[in-house]
Amino acid sequence: MAPALLLVPAALASFILAFGTGVEFVRFTSLRPLLGGIPESGGPEARQGWLAALQDHSILASLAWDLGLLLLFVGQHSLMATETVKAWMSRYFGVLQRSLYVACTALALQPLILPQLVMRYWEPVPRGPVLWEARAEPWATWVPLLCFVLHVISWLLIFSILLVFDYAELMGLKQVYYHVLGLGEPLALKSPRALRLFSHLRHPVCVELLTVLWVVPTLGTDRLLLALLLTLYLGLAHGLDQQDLRYLRAQLQRKLHLLSRPQDGEAE
C-alpha cells in the first residue's frame, strides 16, 4: 500500500473530479433543458414525426451514439460495483478502491455532460419528435417555472440525502482518512442491518433523480432516451425489501425522537 502522503492527494483528486462532474451533471440535466432555450433548428415546423424520425439516418445515428454513451456509463457503474471487481480493486488499490470507483464513474460521465469540451460527444436531436412541449401561453411561462421549482427541490433533497448517507464515505475520503489514522475500515463500524441496506440500496436518490429526468418543459427524442434508460437502470438497481423498509422506518423514528428531545427539555 502506498504511503499516506500519496493516498491523501489521490483521494482528494478523485473527490475534486467527482464534485466537478456533479456540478456539470446538474447543468446537463437541469439547467440546459430548463434555461437553454430552444435550438434554432428545433421549432415545431422543423421537427419530424415519429415514423419519419425512425427512417431518418441522421437521427438514428445520433440516437445510437447517445445510446452508446449511456451504455458506457451504465456498464462501468454496474461492473465496478460487483463483488468480484471490488475484491480485485481492493487487492491492488487497497483503501483507494472507493476513490477509484468514484473517479471512473466521473470519467464515464464526462462524454455525456461535457459536450462543449469533448467534441460534442452527446448528440442533441433538434429535428426529432417530442413527447411533449410547452410552447403556447400560459403553459410556456408556468410549466418551465414549475419544472424549475421541482428541480431545485429535487437537488436540495439529493444533496441532503447524500449528507445523511455520509458523503465523505461515498466519495472515498473517509476510507483514506480512517486508514491514515489507523482506525480501520469505516464499514466495519456499521451494524449488519445497515450493511444489508447498503447492499440493496444502490441509489438512495432514485425518486429525486427520476423527477429531474422526466419533469422538463420539452421532452425531446434524446432526452427521452436518457430518461428511459436511466429510469430502467435505477429501477433494476433498486432492491429494497420489507426488512430494509422496517430498518429505515426505525432509523427515521429514532432521529425524529432525538430531534424532539431538546424541545421536551425546554417544556419541562
Side-chain angles (χ1 to χ4, degrees), residues 74-129:
V74 170
Q76 173 276 323
H77 205 56
S78 300
L79 181 63
M80 294 188 68
T82 61
E83 293 300 327
T84 302
V85 176
K86 286 196 294 187
W88 180 85
M89 292 173 60
S90 297
R91 177 182 178 184
Y92 289 98
F93 298 96
V95 72
L96 289 176
Q97 179 265 327
R98 183 66 188 182
S99 295
L100 183 61
Y101 173 78
V102 170
C104 290
T105 299
L107 291 174
L109 276 173
Q110 291 295 326
L112 288 175
I113 65 179
L114 295 176
Q116 76 279 15
L117 296 181
V118 196
M119 299 173 61
R120 297 188 61 83
Y121 278 179
W122 181 262
E123 291 286 345
V125 188
R127 295 192 302 109

Side-chain angles (χ1 to χ4, degrees), residues 160-172 174 178 186 190 198:
S160 301
I161 292 172
L162 290 178
L163 291 177
V164 170
F165 272 80
D166 201 337
Y167 185 72
E169 186 172 343
L170 289 174
M171 294 294 103
K174 192 172 184 179
Y178 272 45
K190 299 186 182 299
F198 293 157

Side-chain angles (χ1 to χ4, degrees), residues 164-194:
V164 170
F165 272 80
D166 201 337
Y167 185 72
E169 186 172 343
L170 289 174
M171 294 294 103
L173 291 174
K174 192 172 184 179
Q175 289 85 335
V176 173
Y177 175 75
Y178 272 45
H179 176 79
V180 171
L181 296 182
L183 300 177
E185 174 64 35
L187 286 177
L189 304 177
K190 299 186 182 299
S191 67
R193 296 180 68 186

Side-chain angles (χ1 to χ4, degrees), residues 165-240:
F165 272 80
D166 201 337
Y167 185 72
E169 186 172 343
L170 289 174
M171 294 294 103
L173 291 174
K174 192 172 184 179
Q175 289 85 335
V176 173
Y177 175 75
Y178 272 45
H179 176 79
V180 171
L181 296 182
L183 300 177
E185 174 64 35
L187 286 177
L189 304 177
K190 299 186 182 299
S191 67
R193 296 180 68 186
L195 294 176
R196 185 180 188 277
L197 172 67
F198 293 157
S199 67
H200 293 168
L201 190 63
R202 286 279 310 280
H203 303 94
V205 292
C206 182
V207 175
E208 294 80 7
L209 278 178
L210 291 180
T211 301
V212 169
L213 290 172
W214 288 99
V215 181
V216 288
T218 301
L219 189 67
T221 312
D222 59 309
R223 180 70 177 207
L224 178 61
L225 175 66
L226 176 72
L228 280 175
L229 191 60
L230 291 185
T231 298
L232 179 62
Y233 174 61
L234 290 172
L236 292 177
H238 215 62
L240 297 183

